[in-house]
Structure formats: C-alpha cells, structure tokens
Amino acid sequence: MKKESIGKILLGKWDTKTIVGVAIGIALFAVLMVYGSIKVFTNTNLSLAMIVPVIVGGLFGPLPAALVCGLGNVLADLIGGWGLWFDWSIGNAALGFIVGCLKLYGADIEDGVFDIKHMVIYAVLAVLGNILAFGVITPIFTKILFGGELNITIAQGWFAAVSNATVLIIAGIPILKALAARNARGKNLTKE
Amino acid sequence: MKNLNIINLTKGETFLHQLSGTTKVRLFAVLMVYVTMSFDLPIILPLFIVTIVGLVSLKPSWKVIKPVVIFVVAMNIVNIVLFWLANPHCGFEYTGDKTVLFAFTDYLVVTKGTFWYLTVRLLKMLTSFTTSLVFIMSITPSELAAGLTSLGLPYKLGSIVELAFRYIPDISRDYENISISMQCRGLELDAKKIKPIERLKQMIIILIPLIVTSFDRVGNISNAMDLRGFGKGKQRSYYSEYPERRNDTIFKVIYCLIALFCVYYIVSGLISPRDPKMWIYWS
C-alpha cells in the first residue's frame, strides 16, 4: 500500500464518495443526536452520535469527520428544536477533527487494522479532544458570539466532555473493533 | 421517531411553499441572526406571532406536529428549571434586579429579575423553534442546496447538506426497523425498566447494523452521482431554482430591511452597551 503524506490524510480526498459519505454521516449524526440519547444535564446528552465522526474519520479522514460533527450538530439543532448554538457546533467540529485522526496513527477500519495500541491512542485522544473542545474552544466562542453566561456553559461543557468521553471509550472501542473485524482481510497472511 | 416526517421531498401548494429556495434560505439566515442577537421581548414577540401565523398558513398535518411541539415545549421548560437550579440569580447579569419574590430556602429563591429573564429566554427558545419548524416544513432538499449556493457557498457543500437532509427520514426509518426487530429477539429498550449503562450497551447492539447499512449506501449513491457527471464543472444550476417572481421580490425587500435593522442593533449595542442588557417592563 502506498504511504500518503500527512497533509493529504488531514485534508482527505474530496471526491464524490467522500461527499456522499459525509452527507450520510451528518444524517446519521443528526438522527442519533435527537433520538438516540440519554439526558444528563441541560442541553447535554449521553449521545451515541459521537461514534459517527470516529467512523467517518476512519473511512475518509479528519476534516470530513470535523464537518460531520459540526454540520450534524447544526442539523440536529434544527430538527430537535432547542435553537441554534454555533459555539457548540464549533466545539463539536474540533472534537470531530481530533477523534477523526484514526488514519494518522495507523488504524485503518477499511482494512481491519485496529489493535490494542490503537485503542490506547484512541482513548487518550478522545479524552484530550473533549477537554480541548468543550473546556477551551466552546467557552471562547460562547464569549465571542453571545457574551456572558459563561458559568453555565463551562458546567455544561464539563458534563458534555465527561459524557462524550464515556461514550467514545465505552461504546466506541467495541463498535470500531466489530467494524474492523468485519472488514478484516488478509490479516493472517505473512509475507515470505 | 415518526415525527421526522416533517421533512418533505416535494414542493407544497401554499404561499410559503411557493417561494424560491434562495428566498427561504436567506430569510431564514437573517431571522436566525435576529432571534439570536437579543433578549428583548419587543423584538422577539412579533417574530413569534408571525411564525405561528406562518406555521398555520402551511396547513401542516397537526397529527405529525403535535408530538414534536409537546416534546420541545416540555424539554425547554425542563431546561429552564435546570438553569434556575444551577444558578437562582442567573437573571441578575441581564436585568440588574435582585428583588426576591418567593423563597424556598436561602439558596433557592425566585427573584423578579431571574423570573423575567427566564420567561423571555423560554420565549426566545420557542421562537427559534417555530422559525426552524416553518423553515424545515416549507423547504425541499433541492431548494435548500440551491439556496445555500446562492449565499456564495461552494456547491459541493450545498450537495452535502442536501443529501444529509434527504437521507434523515430514510435513516430514522432504518433505525426504527432495526430497533423493532431487535426487540422481537428479546432486547429490552424500555427506559423505565433498565439502567442508563445497560441502555447504552443495547443502543450499541442497534447501532452496529445501522452504521453498516448506512455506509453501505455510500457506494451506490456515489456511483449514481458519478454516472450523472457530478462534480465535473465549477458551477451548477438547480432544477428547482427559477427566476424571481413577484412574491420573492417582496420578501427580498423584507429580509433586506430586517438585515439592516440587525446590523444597526448589533453595532449600536457594541458602541454603547445597553444597561440593563435586556428590555424590562418595569423600568
């Protein structure tokens, strides 16, 4: 297999397949965000939607994953009816970018490569990404866009970070493993 | 689940349906800025009334709308209560008022300022909801893409949003089917009978087939689009987009005026911050 450059992996390849993949990802994200979630705190849910950007990241790269997270959140806000909160969408997009970096450290869902090493890196990235996205980026944008109300945003941010990290690790690893096992091919072959 | 039927794929008959996609998207973008920018009742209330009239004029099927409305109103009220529990003085920053109306304990007090702030906040959330509802119910995916392109965004982005919008009903139907068939095999999904962590585990069981079927579609759809020459040109036109009609011109004037007002309101707020931050009926 050809080794791609890091810049190319980060940007992703924008052909028709990626566009459709991102679109399906957004639809899946929005549906899960609105209907597949368990309430934790105001405007914050234990949502399985967070798995979707990881899979899109594994298939298409980090930038598509960020787009899925950001636009998916906007669309979910639209059909869910709790008002548009662009600060959260931007924070989500950042998180999507970070957890979507699967290909950067060698995990490849399409070819069934997802080992213990990748799981550990993935879990660490999930925690760091959540802290960065909801502890730093979202409050900054809340300040810029709306001003004030920071206490509540920070409280919500911590709840969101903890619940997202929980979902990403508890639910994400088994799902990624199952998908990788489904796609595994030629794994047991050794080169002679 | 069924309430995702609010997305319609063909153009309706009523006045708002007949506007062009460009008009709808631009009007919605301006109105979103209008709702988000302030906590003033005299600004929010008229839009709320107008969107309710708009919703009625769309002649929606009320059977579909009723559960959505009940769900959203209940959720927003719960949110407001949680807001109040998190900080009983959260309205102080906006209204500058600490008159205690009613006290449960030393911490849990209802102040005049907070009560007013939370009431207006609830109305603001509901207005934002009715605006989005009218927008979603009046637009078709193709018109949405045409409108987004008219805002100057690249058409590939428009196509992404269009496809996502188009596939939301399909995916929610798949979700429902998988969930029902899993329940036939003995999976307990009733929220009252099982703990959240158990529920999370069972959601994973539903999620894996949903993800697999959804991403299996990607190949089919992208091949179909490639065969029709998608992405070959720098520009594209839309079948649903047509030259401006009389009503579109009227709405163009309206959204331009609202946009001017928004700019005036935001700029004047930046130059001389309002004190108190929101309109209060007693001052």
Side-chain angles (χ1 to χ4, degrees):
Chain A
M1 207 174 77
K2 243 189 3 229
K3 199 88 178 144
E4 289 177 54
S5 70
I6 289 179
K8 219 171 198 173
I9 296 177
L10 279 178
L11 281 177
K13 209 168 58 198
W14 286 96
D15 53 3
T16 317
K17 206 171 172 191
T18 313
I19 287 173
V20 178
V22 170
I24 297 283
I26 292 173
L28 204 56
F29 187 92
V31 168
L32 289 176
M33 188 96 173
V34 179
Y35 298 101
S37 52
I38 304 156
K39 198 154 191 64
V40 185
F41 188 60
T42 89
N43 284 350
T44 318
N45 298 313
L46 199 61
S47 170
L48 282 169
M50 272 300 149
I51 308 294
V52 179
V54 180
I55 292 155
V56 173
L59 294 174
F60 302 109
L63 194 65
L67 212 60
V68 165
C69 238
L71 281 179
N73 200 333
V74 173
L75 214 58
D77 283 353
L78 265 180
I79 57 174
W82 39 76
L84 287 169
W85 298 96
F86 288 110
D87 43 344
W88 287 90
S89 302
I90 294 166
N92 263 320
L95 175 61
F97 192 86
I98 292 167
V99 296
C101 286
L102 288 168
K103 277 188 181 170
L104 271 190
Y105 51 84
D108 196 340
I109 303 301
E110 261 176 308
D111 275 344
V113 184
F114 192 67
D115 303 329
I116 304 277
K117 189 186 84 183
H118 301 134
M119 283 178 204
V120 174
I121 301 177
Y122 166 77
V124 172
L125 272 185
V127 172
L128 285 182
N130 269 300
I131 292 172
L132 184 70
F134 298 117
V136 181
I137 293 176
T138 304
I140 289 175
F141 276 95
T142 310
K143 192 78 197 161
I144 295 172
L145 289 175
F146 301 104
E149 270 187 83
L150 268 188
N151 281 335
I152 291 167
T153 305
I154 288 172
Q156 282 180 339
W158 283 111
F159 274 96
V162 170
S163 69
N164 277 336
T166 317
V167 167
L168 279 170
I169 292 169
I170 295 184
I173 289 177
I175 289 183
L176 283 174
K177 230 182 141 219
L179 286 178
R182 196 172 173 273
N183 291 333
R185 52 181 165 231
K187 244 188 118 185
N188 296 329
L189 302 176
T190 46
K191 203 174 171 189
E192 283 184 24
Chain B
M1 244 329 115
K2 294 202 173 55
N3 46 23
L4 284 175
N5 294 341
I6 54 174
I7 293 173
N8 46 1
L9 302 178
T10 48
K11 212 174 169 86
E13 296 289 314
T14 68
F15 176 74
L16 282 177
H17 281 120
Q18 290 295 323
L19 294 172
S20 76
T22 313
T23 311
K24 288 175 200 166
V25 171
R26 288 185 179 169
L27 183 65
F28 178 68
V30 170
L31 286 182
M32 269 302 139
V33 175
Y34 181 86
V35 177
T36 314
M37 71 181 179
S38 84
F39 276 99
D40 289 4
L41 191 70
I43 287 185
I44 295 170
L45 194 61
L47 181 62
F48 185 64
I49 295 166
V50 168
T51 48
I52 295 279
V53 172
L55 189 62
V56 173
S57 84
L58 284 173
K59 297 198 182 109
S61 94
W62 294 105
K63 229 166 111 188
V64 175
I65 303 233
K66 217 170 121 191
V68 190
V69 173
I70 292 172
F71 172 74
V72 167
V73 170
M75 199 189 65
N76 275 311
I77 289 175
V78 169
N79 271 343
I80 289 290
V81 172
L82 285 177
F83 247 82
W84 174 69
L85 286 177
N87 179 8
H89 288 289
C90 56
F92 177 67
E93 196 191 327
Y94 283 84
T95 54
D97 187 285
K98 268 192 169 175
T99 325
V100 175
L101 292 179
F102 195 76
F104 291 99
T105 62
D106 285 344
Y107 175 70
L108 284 180
V109 290
V110 181
T111 65
K112 204 169 159 189
T114 304
F115 182 73
W116 180 244
Y117 165 70
L118 288 179
T119 314
V120 175
R121 194 189 163 85
L122 181 65
L123 191 70
K124 179 174 163 159
M125 295 290 113
L126 289 180
T127 310
S128 152
F129 164 66
T130 47
T131 315
S132 335
L133 190 65
V134 170
F135 174 67
I136 284 208
M137 293 192 54
S138 64
I139 206 161
T140 61
S142 173
E143 285 176 340
L144 180 65
L148 285 175
T149 317
S150 83
L151 290 177
L153 297 166
Y155 75 85
K156 286 191 175 174
L157 195 74
S159 303
I160 288 178
V161 179
E162 172 187 3
L163 276 171
F165 211 61
R166 164 68 186 78
Y167 278 96
I168 282 179
D170 282 34
I171 286 176
S172 68
R173 198 182 50 219
D174 279 355
Y175 178 95
E176 206 172 0
N177 287 343
I178 293 171
S179 145
I180 289 171
S181 49
M182 284 299 178
Q183 283 176 53
C184 285
R185 297 181 192 174
L187 193 72
E188 179 64 69
L189 282 175
D190 192 345
K192 284 172 200 150
K193 286 185 187 160
I194 48 171
K195 281 176 263 167
I197 289 293
E198 279 296 297
R199 211 162 146 224
L200 195 64
K201 241 189 235 165
Q202 291 169 342
M203 295 286 286
I204 296 172
I205 299 175
I206 296 181
L207 208 57
I208 291 177
L210 184 65
I211 287 171
V212 170
T213 50
S214 302
F215 283 98
D216 274 353
R217 269 186 239 264
V218 173
N220 288 340
I221 301 169
S222 67
N223 282 344
M225 281 164 69
D226 273 337
L227 282 173
R228 288 162 178 76
F230 177 81
K232 290 284 173 285
K234 284 240 180 298
Q235 295 282 319
R236 64 167 286 177
S237 55
Y238 287 90
Y239 183 64
S240 68
E241 201 56 24
Y242 45 77
E244 216 170 79
R245 289 181 193 156
R246 193 176 55 101
N247 290 338
D248 292 320
T249 321
I250 296 172
F251 269 89
K252 199 175 192 175
V253 175
I254 294 175
Y255 66 66
C256 285
L257 286 178
I258 299 176
L260 279 179
F261 174 73
C262 291
V263 170
Y264 163 75
Y265 185 90
I266 292 169
V267 170
S268 70
L270 284 179
I271 292 170
S272 58
R274 293 177 180 75
D275 184 47
K277 275 189 189 167
M278 61 191 285
W279 182 84
I280 309 167
Y281 68 92
W282 62 80
S283 67

